[in-house]
Amino acid sequence: MNMQRLTLWVAATWNTIRSLATDDAYDKYLAHHAQAHAGSPPMSRRAFYLQQQQSKWTGVSRCC
Amino acid sequence: MIKTAFWILVALVGAFAVGGIALHRGETINAMWIVVAALCIYSLGYRFYSAWVAAKVLSVDATRATPALRLNNGRDFVPTHRWIVFGHHFAAIAGPGPLIGPTLAAQFGYLPGTLWILVGGVLGGCVQDMTILFLSTRRNGRSLGQMARDELGPVGGFAAMLGTLTIMIILIAVLGLVVVNAMKHSPWATSTVFATIPIAVLIGLYLRNIRPGRVLEGSLIGLALLLLAVVGGGWVDSHPTLRELFNLDGKPLAWFVIGYGFIAAVLPVWLLLAPRDYLSTFLKLGTVLLLALAVILMRPEIHMPAVTQFIDGSGPIFGGALFPFVFITIACGAISGFHALVSSGTTPKLIGNEADVRMIGYGSMMLESGVAVMAMIAATLLQPGVYFAINSAPGIVGVTAEAAVATISGWGFPVTVEQMQFLAKEMGESTLFARTGGAPSLAVGMASIFSSAFGESMLAIWYHFAIMFEAVFILTTLDAGTRVGRFMLQDALGHIWKPMGETSWYPSVLIASALVVAGWGYFLYIGVVDPNGGINILWPLFGIANQLLAGIALCVATGILIKQGKLRYCWVTAAPLAWLAIVTTAATWEKVVSSDPRVGFLAAADSLAAKLAAGALPEAQAAVAPQLIFNQRLDAVLAVLLSLILWVVIADMVRVSLRVVRGQPVPPNSEAPHVHINSIGPSKIGAEAA
C-alpha cells in the first residue's frame, strides 16, 4: 500500500517537473489535436517544437 | 479562532522584526532579522491585501471561463495547472534586475533599500503584476500596449510603445555593461562566459535534431557542461598563453557583446536563444534556492550599517540623495514596469481559472521581491570597506589601490590593500578594485556564503559560478530584448514602407536588428569608456525608464477601474502610480538641473567641457571627453522625454476618467464577453478556435 502511494507520488512529481520544463507540451498538443482536429494529421515533434519556440520568442517572454 | 490568533502572531513577529532592523544600531545584525521581517510582511500582504484586491477591486470570478478555456488551441492558449503557470511566470519575470539594483542601493545602508523592496513590493509591484495579469486575462491575453490603445485611446497606446522601446535600449545597454565589467581583465570569467555560447548552440542542435523538444534532458546535459566551463575557466586562468588570450580590456569586450547581440538577434531562436534560456532558467531557480538555503543555514551577520552617510547624495556608486534615488535604483524587486509586459503576454493565455490570478500574479512578484531581499543580504554581509572598494569607479575613489583604500577608509569604512589582494586571490581574480556594475560584489557575497555553507575551499569556483550565472541570464535578456525591439521597430517602419513590416524578410530583419543594436551599443560603448564607470549614468536612466513603464501600466489599470465604476477603489493602483510619478519626476529633475556634476547630466557636461577647455584633462581622457559631453546632454534629453511620456499618459488617463465621472462617452470596455465555465464542456474545449 505504502509502496503504491510512493509510486504515485513519484509519478506526480515527475509529471510536474516535465510540465515545468515544457517537456510534455507535444503530448498535450497531440491530445488536443486528436480531440479537436481528428481528421488532419498532427505536426511532427520537431515541427511542433520549432513552432513553439518561434511563437514564444516573438513577444516579451523574458524580463530584466 | 486559531487562525485569527495565528495571523495576530505573524503580525506581531513581523512588527518586532521590522522594528529590530530599523532601530538596531550595533556593529552587526543577523540577516535572519531581515528574512523574518520579509516573510511576515509577504504573508500578511498575500493573505489579506491581495485577497481583498482580488475579491473587491478586481471582482475575480471563478465561474468565468478564461481565454485558455475558451480559445484552447493546444499551443499558446492551453489551460494549465496553476503551479505550472506560477513556475513559468516567475521564470519569465525574474531576471538580473533584482540582483543588481539592491546591490547598488546598499550604498545607502541595508535599511532604506530593504524597506522599499518590502513596502514597494507588497503595495506596488505585486498589485501591478496581479492587476495587469487579470485585465489581460479578461481581454483574451492582449498586450499592455493594445490595452492602453483600447481603453485610453491612441495617445496612451503610442506612449506605451515608445516607453517599451526606450526601456529595451537602456536596459540592454546597462546589462551589457554589467557583463563587460564582470569580464574585464578576468580570463577566468571571460573564458567561462565565452564557453556558454557554444554550449547553448550544442543544446540547441540537440533539442532540434537529436531529441526534439526533450527540454529536461537537453538542459541537464547543458548544466553539466556549464559547470565544466566554470572549472575549465580556472584551468585557462592558470595557463600562461591562454590566459593572455582572454585577458581583455573593456573596449574589445564591449565590441564582442555588441557583435554577439546582433548575431544572436538574427539567428533562428532554436539555435541559441531558446536553449540558453532553458539553461538560464534552471540555473536561476537552482541558484535562488541555494542562496535562500545558504542564508537560512548560515544566518550570516550583516556588516553594513543600517544607514550610511551617503543618503545625502555623495555616494560613490551612484550620485544622488536617498530620495528619490533609492526608489529609482531598486525597480525590479519592488515594482518593475517590465513585468506588465510579461503579465500581458504569454501568462494570461495559460490561466485555467481566474481565481489563479492572485497566486500567479501577486505570488510570483512576492518571490521576486524575496530574491531582491537576498541580493541585499549578499551585498551587505560584506565588510563595507570591501563592498565600496569593489563597487566604486576609479574616477571617484582614485586610480591606484592605495588611493582607493585611503579614500574609502577615510569615509569610516576601513579596508586595506592587503585585504583586497587576499580576497582577489581567493576569488581567482587579479584585482577586485573598481569592478563596478554589481555583479562582482554580488558574486563575492554569494561565494562567501556558499562556500561557508557548502565547501570552504571552493571560493574561486563559487565566485565564477556566480558570475557565469549572472552572465548567462543577462545574455538571454540582451538577446530576447534585442529581438523584441527589432519586432517593434519593424512594426513601426512597416507603417512607412510596407516591406519593412514583414518580420521574416531578411533585409528588414538585418536593418531593424542593426538599428536596435546600434541604439544600445552606443550607450554601452560610452559606458565602457567613461572613467566614472558608466553605471552611475545608465542605471538611474534604466530605473526611470522601468518606473515609467510601471506608471503606464498603472495608468491603464486605474483608467479601467474608473471606467468600470470602481472609483472608490481606484487608489489601489492610483496610489502607487502617484508615488511613481513623484519619484520619477523628482529623479528626472535632479538628473537634469542638479548643479552637482555627480548627479546632474548637464552639470557633468559643463564641468567636463570646462576642464577640457582649460586643458586640465590627461590626454587619454581629453580624447573621449567630447563624446562624454555629448552623451551627458543626450541623457538629459532622454530623461526629460521619459518623464514627459509618463505625464502624457497620466493626463490621458485623467481625461478619460473625468469623462466617465461627467457621464460623457469614453472608449468602450474591451473585456471579452462573459462565458460560464460550465458551458465549456470537455468536448467543446477549443471549439471557438477550431
Side-chain angles (χ1 to χ4, degrees):
Chain A
M1 181 59 202
N2 258 347
M3 200 57 212
Q4 203 179 359
R5 273 177 58 187
L6 186 72
T7 323
L8 279 177
W9 185 85
V10 169
T13 312
W14 176 237
N15 283 337
T16 309
I17 293 174
R18 270 173 51 89
S19 289
L20 275 172
T22 64
D23 255 24
D24 62 349
Y26 186 65
D27 305 337
K28 279 188 185 159
Y29 161 77
L30 282 186
H32 170 83
H33 190 91
Q35 191 188 53
H37 318 272
S40 59
M43 275 186 276
S44 71
R45 192 180 266 274
R46 182 197 288 194
F48 176 78
Y49 174 72
L50 292 179
Q51 202 234 31
Q52 196 195 2
Q53 295 306 329
Q54 200 58 47
S55 78
K56 178 176 174 184
W57 295 106
T58 302
V60 180
S61 49
R62 282 299 172 268
C63 220
C64 34
Chain B
M1 186 58 208
I2 293 173
K3 272 187 184 166
T4 316
F6 171 75
W7 285 110
I8 290 174
L9 187 70
V10 171
L12 287 175
V13 172
F16 182 67
V18 172
I21 60 172
L23 302 174
H24 183 84
R25 288 294 177 271
E27 277 284 288
T28 63
I29 180 170
N30 197 283
M32 286 315 282
W33 284 86
I34 297 180
V35 172
V36 170
L39 287 178
C40 292
I41 288 179
Y42 293 143
S43 311
L44 292 168
Y46 186 77
R47 171 62 188 82
F48 297 101
Y49 191 51
S50 82
W52 179 79
V53 171
K56 289 286 175 193
V57 183
L58 303 179
S59 311
V60 166
D61 179 359
T63 68
R64 188 172 177 135
T66 58
L69 283 176
R70 285 184 287 109
L71 309 174
N72 185 351
N73 60 7
R75 293 200 296 265
D76 40 355
F77 287 94
V78 185
T80 308
H81 190 273
R82 58 186 183 147
W83 278 107
I84 307 292
V85 188
F86 180 89
H88 286 284
H89 186 69
F90 174 69
I93 62 170
L99 297 176
I100 297 167
T103 306
L104 303 179
Q107 75 164 355
F108 293 130
Y110 69 79
L111 186 61
T114 304
L115 287 182
W116 165 234
I117 292 169
L118 296 177
V119 175
V122 168
L123 300 180
C126 295
V127 174
Q128 171 205 254
D129 288 19
M130 170 169 74
T131 308
I132 295 297
L133 179 59
F134 173 77
L135 295 175
S136 178
T137 306
R138 278 273 169 104
R139 286 160 182 76
N140 291 345
R142 277 203 203 131
S143 73
L144 178 68
Q146 284 170 318
M147 289 198 286
R149 202 158 43 231
D150 293 344
E151 297 280 348
L152 297 178
V155 175
F158 180 71
M161 201 271 292
L162 204 62
T164 311
L165 197 59
T166 320
I167 188 178
M168 291 287 177
I169 301 274
I170 306 282
L171 165 74
I172 299 170
V174 75
L175 291 181
L177 187 55
V178 169
V179 177
V180 167
N181 284 351
M183 295 196 291
K184 198 159 58 182
H185 292 298
S186 166
W188 190 336
T190 309
S191 56
T192 303
V193 172
F194 279 20
T196 63
I197 297 164
I199 292 174
V201 169
L202 209 67
I203 303 307
L205 290 168
Y206 182 89
L207 286 178
R208 177 178 183 268
N209 295 339
I210 303 174
R211 298 267 290 161
R214 262 71 167 212
V215 175
L216 270 178
E217 288 170 24
S219 304
L220 284 178
I221 299 172
L223 288 179
L225 291 175
L226 286 180
L227 295 180
L228 213 62
V230 173
V231 179
W235 177 76
V236 168
D237 191 45
S238 60
H239 191 288
T241 337
L242 283 178
R243 184 173 205 288
E244 284 318 302
L245 207 61
F246 290 101
N247 188 6
L248 297 171
D249 200 18
K251 274 191 214 170
L253 285 170
W255 282 114
F256 159 76
V257 170
I258 290 168
Y260 166 81
F262 178 74
I263 293 170
V266 298
L267 281 180
V269 282
W270 61 265
L271 185 59
L272 182 53
L273 174 55
R276 210 212 7 250
D277 177 63
Y278 285 123
L279 296 179
S280 82
T281 304
F282 283 106
L283 267 182
K284 176 165 57 191
L285 296 178
T287 309
V288 163
L289 221 65
L290 214 58
L291 190 58
L293 204 68
V295 166
I296 290 169
L297 277 178
M298 294 315 299
R299 296 183 294 280
E301 290 289 321
I302 302 285
H303 290 95
M304 184 70 78
V307 179
T308 67
Q309 67 266 42
F310 300 128
I311 54 172
D312 65 357
S314 60
I317 297 170
F318 56 89
L322 183 69
F323 178 87
F325 287 101
V326 75
F327 307 103
I328 293 296
T329 308
I330 302 180
C332 317
I335 178 163
S336 165
F338 218 103
H339 294 187
L341 302 178
V342 175
S343 300
S344 61
T346 329
T347 313
K349 298 172 185 160
L350 298 175
I351 288 181
N353 190 304
E354 267 190 16
D356 299 346
V357 157
R358 177 177 160 220
M359 173 192 145
I360 295 160
Y362 200 95
S364 296
M365 177 60 198
M366 240 164 54
L367 197 56
E368 155 119 326
S369 180
V371 173
V373 170
M374 282 193 295
M376 178 61 91
I377 291 174
T380 50
L381 61 84
L382 297 177
Q383 291 293 341
V386 170
Y387 164 84
F388 285 111
I390 299 175
N391 283 302
S392 305
I396 311 293
V397 289
V399 180
T400 63
E402 288 74 18
V405 294
T407 314
I408 294 164
S409 301
W411 290 328
F413 302 115
V415 59
T416 62
V417 177
E418 294 71 38
Q419 194 184 353
M420 290 301 292
Q421 276 169 347
F422 178 71
L423 193 64
K425 196 162 175 292
E426 273 201 315
M427 299 293 164
E429 291 285 287
S430 51
T431 178
L432 283 172
F433 277 108
R435 304 298 296 270
T436 60
S441 87
L442 179 66
V444 170
M446 275 166 67
S448 38
I449 188 167
F450 279 159
S451 65
S452 56
F454 313 111
E456 193 70 63
S457 59
M458 306 207 304
L459 265 174
I461 300 270
W462 281 120
Y463 174 86
H464 290 95
F465 170 80
I467 292 282
M468 183 271 291
F469 148 80
E470 291 172 81
V472 162
F473 67 110
I474 285 182
L475 290 180
T476 307
T477 306
L478 189 139
D479 175 348
T482 305
R483 204 171 277 271
V484 170
R486 175 193 119 196
F487 285 129
M488 295 180 70
L489 202 59
Q490 282 183 305
D491 187 48
L493 292 175
H495 290 296
I496 303 167
W497 189 48
K498 240 196 155 83
M500 280 303 288
E502 286 167 29
T503 48
S504 54
W505 187 50
Y506 242 72
S508 163
V509 170
L510 292 178
I511 293 171
S513 302
L515 284 173
V516 174
V517 172
W520 59 255
Y522 163 77
F523 287 105
L524 167 60
Y525 186 80
I526 294 286
V528 168
V529 298
D530 188 342
N532 287 338
I535 291 286
N536 181 39
I537 291 181
L538 279 174
W539 194 264
L541 265 185
F542 162 61
I544 292 176
N546 204 358
Q547 306 294 43
L548 150 86
L549 206 54
I552 294 175
L554 290 168
C555 274
V556 171
T558 309
I560 292 178
L561 287 179
I562 292 174
K563 281 169 71 179
Q564 293 183 333
K566 289 177 178 155
L567 185 62
R568 68 195 173 113
Y569 292 135
C570 81
W571 57 265
V572 167
T573 52
L577 169 62
W579 178 244
L580 289 187
I582 293 171
V583 166
T584 45
T585 310
T588 306
W589 179 261
E590 292 269 314
K591 292 305 291 180
V592 175
V593 306
S594 168
S595 57
D596 177 355
R598 295 229 31 246
V599 180
F601 290 132
L602 296 179
D606 293 345
S607 122
L608 199 57
K611 277 187 201 157
L612 184 64
L617 291 175
E619 200 174 328
Q621 282 186 36
V624 294
Q627 288 173 6
L628 296 181
I629 293 167
F630 169 78
N631 182 56
Q632 296 269 14
R633 296 198 169 125
L634 178 70
D635 293 336
V637 174
L638 205 60
V640 170
L641 184 75
L642 288 171
S643 277
L644 277 181
I645 294 177
L646 177 59
W647 282 104
V648 165
V649 182
I650 292 177
D652 206 32
M653 185 271 289
V654 170
R655 176 187 68 87
V656 171
S657 305
L658 282 178
R659 292 180 70 88
V660 172
V661 174
R662 292 192 192 123
Q664 290 162 327
V666 288
N669 178 4
S670 58
E671 252 180 29
H674 180 282
V675 174
H676 197 276
I677 208 159
N678 288 345
S679 71
I680 302 187
S683 64
K684 278 193 194 153
I685 287 179
E688 268 184 66

